[in-house]
Amino acid sequence: SRHLPADGVAEARLRITPRATDGALRSAASIDVRLRGAPATLVGSPTRDERGEWVVRIKAPGAPGSTALEVRIDGAVVGIRPRLFFD
């Protein structure tokens, strides 16, 4: 769900799978995520899982609001900006 309680404890996980134009996984890609909006926080740095996907953990703020996630792959901003809502 893109909705989390605004309790300062709840966490969301975002999976990022960089792909080449032919659809192949780009495992050597660098990932950067920035939060825009409510004072949610990143928990640690992006990590890779066993499938080669990047996983980013976001901790909810203690007050209601929303946060847009700006994802960069190899320094280029991705056109999609997922948004999390804290209720």
Side-chain angles (χ1 to χ4, degrees):
S1 173
R2 294 185 321 143
H3 287 261
L4 293 153
D7 61 6
V9 177
E11 286 188 13
R13 291 176 192 256
L14 174 68
R15 292 190 174 278
I16 303 166
T17 309
R19 301 245 179 226
T21 55
D22 67 357
L25 178 65
R26 292 180 44 218
S27 58
S30 66
I31 301 297
D32 181 45
V33 176
R34 298 175 188 181
L35 304 178
R36 308 280 188 223
T41 55
L42 292 172
V43 179
S45 299
T47 58
R48 279 199 194 130
D49 67 9
E50 64 282 351
R51 295 181 298 212
E53 296 176 335
W54 288 94
V55 178
V56 177
R57 295 171 43 210
I58 301 105
K59 188 180 209 179
S66 68
T67 297
L69 289 82
E70 180 182 273
V71 177
R72 294 173 184 261
I73 299 175
D74 291 335
V77 176
V78 175
I80 299 170
R81 292 192 176 163
R83 181 170 291 277
L84 296 173
F85 300 91
F86 308 103
D87 309 310

